[in-house]
Amino acid sequence: MANLTSDDISREVAGRTVPTLFAATVAERADATALRWQITTEAWDGWTWAQYADRACRFAASLAQLGIGRGDRIVLMIRNRAEFHVADMGALLVGATPVSIYNSSAPDQVRYLAGHCDAKLAVVEDLAFLERIIKVRADLPELRHVVVIDDPHELAEAGTHRWVDLLGAGPVDLESAAHVASPDDLATIVYTSGTTGPPKGAMLTHANLAWLDASGTKVMPIDLPGARFISYLPMAHVLERLLSHYMHVGHGTEVTTCPDPGLLAAYLGQVRPTVFVGVPRVWEKLYAGIWAMAGADPERAADFGRAVAAGKARERARVEGRELTDDERAAWERAEAEAFSLVRMLVGLDECQIAVTGAAPIAPETFDFFRALGIPLSEGYGMTESSGVITNEYVDPRPGSVGRALPGVELRIADDGEVLARGGNVFPGYLHDPEKTAETVDDEGWLHTGDVGTLDDEGYLRIVDRKKELIITAGGKNISPANIEAALKEHPLIGQVAVIGDNRPFLSALVVLDPDVSPGWAASHGIEDTDLAALAAHPEVRAELDRFVAEANARFSRVEQIKRYTILGEEWQPDSVELTPTMKLKRRGIAEKYADHITELYT
């Protein structure tokens, strides 16, 4: 597989589109469960592949009756639920391009996105989402139709289509509809999170997605048909679309939809996924929760600490390519029998065969912890412009590395350290923006990722930081803030960190307390007021973080150490001034909002 070229994979997937993959899966797995969801805490419901296909074909027929066809675009504002998949697939079956909008988007953002992609139809989940469309509809002359899924009392304004009515149409023929779109047609447009400037619409073709599906699954160590996934990340993000929609369609996986990420912990315990992918913040919360359980009793905490040490020793031996000593093997077997198997079961990852973290750097301690527990965590790397994935290594991951290039993907490091990638997964460009496209993909087809990294002799890629986010201190030192932030977030009390220091004499940081862990920590230390603002000002919290920051600083060179920091008494929410929907830092927004705090740090 290492010798496969991009052209080899392109030949393998020639002619395939997302709908042809869907039709093949429906034919092979008609009676298997495709989608399932929770009705109550005890009851679940679901659709087979045949039932999913019937609804998608009925929705496609209604779209055709409304004049939606090949090349048209529809926008979707739907939480993680089965109807999303029907709406998206129905659009593809008439040759249209579905475009997801983040559900947290304000009316002005909806106006921009729907207008930028020239959407002719919108599907919204409920009346609250519908209201955002109504507020800006006068500014969207191309938007001809609006469909609402949940409107039990028929309160939507006149002219709005009801989802249930559109599903009453006679279904299109799946085999015929599957061939309406061509591989070069757009399967979706994914709008970037907009850490700087307005979002850009990354165009992804059917060929891109079919290519990535074939490449990515060649290195997966499991058979995917029937594999269990939980869909909980925003459907407007390329990672969730790739995992729970395109890969789902291509391989007949079983997807459980989780409409509220806050319910993820409960869903893990009930679904017991065989494949689980989470952004670092998800793994950090699991890490803090496990240690909180173990730390409730000092003696048990000490035993668990010894077990984790045994697990880490086993992992070191794997990375070093050596056999365990007799003592190491005995310690690990004892840890597995007395601790790890129970912990994996309690968090719902006892049947997990593939676990991945991505979208942002993860703290080494967090990564090592889950590997020690026997959870097969690996770190992947990709971006919207690469259809979601560039590298991974499921079988032999290396701490601090995001793995090796997928089959058919070429990697190289430019003279300035930027990571460049080339392959059939690289997008054709940004919608209505040839200038940005030319800046991102050069004449030879190399995708300029904007990340600085290194490649070792075995092909393992390490990401240093975003090229534009490297801090250059007043002394001229180039510093990666992401690595320092990841180290500081190893403390369970810390939820978010933003390192400051560009053109400054030293590094400082804004620290946000973890809203889930902090109250429990405070209670265990006899602190009565567990409000975040009160805790941010509490001397015991400050003393604990002073101790930890000093400990973390010891890992870095003098110029990379945090000299001052302030604790903020508020929570940073996804898709806000501070964070993107997948919880990456919006550094410009943070710098503007907390300008006074930053000034004080350097006074």
Side-chain angles (χ1 to χ4, degrees):
M1 284 188 293
N3 296 323
L4 282 176
T5 68
S6 179
D7 289 342
D8 290 334
I9 296 175
S10 293
R11 284 189 289 270
E12 178 185 332
V13 302
R16 292 182 193 172
T17 63
V18 175
T20 62
L21 292 171
F22 178 64
T25 295
V26 171
E28 293 170 7
R29 298 182 59 78
D31 297 327
T33 299
L35 297 160
R36 60 193 297 271
W37 57 93
Q38 192 171 46
I39 303 172
T40 68
T41 53
E42 302 295 331
W44 296 78
D45 203 351
W47 294 332
T48 64
W49 282 95
Q51 291 170 323
Y52 172 11
D54 178 68
R55 286 165 172 79
C57 288
R58 290 179 183 278
F59 185 62
S62 289
L63 289 178
Q65 291 171 9
L66 294 173
I68 304 299
R70 187 175 177 186
D72 292 332
R73 289 150 196 163
I74 74 169
V75 291
L76 310 176
M77 287 188 72
I78 309 171
R79 295 180 181 88
N80 301 63
R81 54 186 289 177
E83 288 83 357
F84 163 83
H85 300 271
V86 170
D88 194 284
M89 185 56 63
L92 295 178
L93 290 173
V94 295
T97 302
V99 181
S100 288
I101 295 178
Y102 282 106
N103 298 327
S104 54
S105 299
D108 284 348
Q109 294 170 307
V110 173
R111 177 197 293 115
Y112 175 81
L113 296 172
H116 188 265
C117 73
D118 304 308
K120 292 186 177 179
L121 181 142
V123 183
V124 298
E125 179 167 345
D126 55 26
L127 297 179
F129 289 168
L130 175 62
E131 183 180 6
R132 297 182 217 171
I133 295 283
I134 292 172
K135 285 182 176 179
V136 298
R137 190 167 182 180
D139 300 325
L140 299 170
E142 294 296 318
L143 190 64
R144 303 172 189 170
H145 306 284
V146 179
V147 181
V148 62
I149 295 174
D150 291 338
D151 183 19
H153 304 295
E154 300 186 37
L155 299 177
E157 66 174 12
T160 302
H161 302 282
R162 296 173 68 238
W163 175 260
V164 66
D165 295 335
L166 297 190
L167 290 188
V172 299
D173 177 69
L174 176 57
E175 192 58 38
S176 299
H179 290 87
V180 170
S182 73
D184 291 333
D185 288 346
L186 296 185
T188 192
I189 301 166
V190 179
Y191 280 89
T192 60
S193 302
T195 53
T196 58
K200 300 185 293 292
M203 300 183 290
L204 301 180
T205 67
H206 290 275
N208 285 145
L209 297 168
W211 191 99
L212 181 59
D213 177 71
S215 169
T217 53
K218 288 182 189 301
V219 292
M220 285 190 170
I222 67 170
D223 292 327
L224 282 173
R228 297 189 300 278
F229 287 71
I230 300 175
S231 170
Y232 71 97
L233 293 170
M235 296 307 304
H237 192 273
V238 70
L239 184 59
E240 190 60 74
R241 272 187 162 272
L242 178 66
L243 294 169
S244 69
H245 193 50
Y246 302 127
M247 189 182 294
H248 172 59
V249 161
H251 299 277
T253 63
E254 180 182 296
V255 168
T256 298
T257 58
C258 176
D260 180 357
L263 300 173
L264 178 60
Y267 272 62
L268 281 169
Q270 297 183 70
V271 176
R272 318 201 88 74
T274 49
V275 179
F276 181 65
V277 179
V279 295
R281 188 68 189 129
V282 169
W283 294 105
E284 290 159 5
K285 283 181 174 289
L286 287 172
Y287 171 87
I290 293 169
W291 274 113
M293 285 191 295
D297 175 76
E299 184 176 342
R300 186 170 62 178
D303 290 342
F304 187 63
R306 284 189 287 271
V308 171
K312 289 182 177 180
R314 178 173 178 261
E315 270 299 294
R316 282 195 299 273
R318 179 190 64 79
V319 173
E320 293 167 4
R322 64 173 177 83
E323 294 292 325
L324 293 173
T325 66
D326 291 342
D327 287 344
E328 287 173 334
R329 180 173 291 102
W332 178 79
E333 289 175 351
R334 185 165 55 251
E336 172 65 17
E338 297 176 359
F340 296 161
S341 59
L342 176 62
V343 169
R344 293 197 300 268
M345 184 184 70
L346 289 174
V347 298
L349 292 174
D350 50 318
E351 297 183 28
C352 186
Q353 299 174 58
I354 291 178
V356 180
T357 178
I362 190 169
E365 171 62 26
T366 306
F367 182 87
D368 293 345
F369 173 77
F370 285 103
R371 292 291 308 184
L373 261 58
I375 293 170
L377 186 60
S378 62
E379 188 169 3
Y381 170 69
M383 55 198 303
T384 303
E385 294 82 351
S386 68
S387 306
V389 186
I390 294 173
T391 68
N392 208 322
E393 175 55 57
Y394 302 107
V395 177
D396 188 21
R398 304 292 172 82
S401 164
V402 294
R404 294 184 275 204
L406 294 182
V409 172
E410 297 176 76
L411 278 180
R412 70 180 178 89
I413 306 299
D415 292 341
D416 62 356
E418 184 176 10
V419 178
L420 308 184
R422 184 165 63 179
N425 55 333
V426 173
F427 78 145
Y430 298 111
L431 181 68
H432 306 319
D433 202 338
E435 185 176 327
K436 287 290 184 185
T437 298
E439 292 175 7
T440 306
V441 182
D442 64 29
D443 293 339
E444 296 181 345
W446 288 101
L447 172 64
H448 292 243
T449 66
D451 290 309
V452 175
T454 61
L455 270 174
D456 68 17
D457 294 340
E458 295 180 86
Y460 283 85
L461 176 66
R462 294 176 184 270
I463 300 298
V464 175
D465 210 331
R466 291 291 296 168
K467 186 176 176 181
K468 293 180 180 178
E469 292 184 358
L470 287 176
I471 288 174
I472 304 177
T473 66
K477 297 292 185 180
N478 284 16
I479 296 171
S480 163
N483 293 333
I484 302 168
E485 289 157 355
L488 292 174
K489 286 167 66 179
E490 289 178 12
H491 196 292
L493 270 179
I494 299 177
Q496 297 289 346
V497 180
V499 170
I500 310 296
D502 209 36
N503 294 316
R504 305 281 189 170
F506 56 83
L507 297 188
S508 65
L510 303 176
V511 173
V512 179
L513 297 177
D514 188 302
D516 298 321
V517 174
S518 297
W521 184 92
S524 69
H525 286 74
I527 301 173
E528 294 183 1
D529 191 347
T530 59
D531 178 76
L532 284 185
L535 292 177
H538 200 285
E540 279 196 56
V541 174
R542 182 74 194 201
E544 172 64 15
L545 294 190
D546 281 348
R547 178 196 65 76
F548 180 73
V549 169
E551 180 182 304
N553 274 340
R555 306 185 209 172
F556 297 99
S557 67
R558 187 168 171 274
V559 295
E560 294 174 306
Q561 294 176 359
I562 299 299
K563 301 297 190 295
R564 293 181 183 173
Y565 69 95
T566 189
I567 307 172
L568 302 176
E570 58 194 83
E571 182 181 359
W572 288 355
Q573 299 284 357
D575 201 10
S576 62
V577 170
E578 300 91 356
L579 301 175
T580 71
T582 51
M583 294 188 278
K584 295 179 184 176
L585 296 179
K586 291 183 177 178
R587 297 188 188 275
R588 180 182 297 178
I590 291 169
E592 292 174 356
K593 181 174 179 178
Y594 298 99
D596 290 345
H597 289 279
I598 294 169
T599 298
E600 289 176 11
L601 288 169
Y602 291 95
T603 299

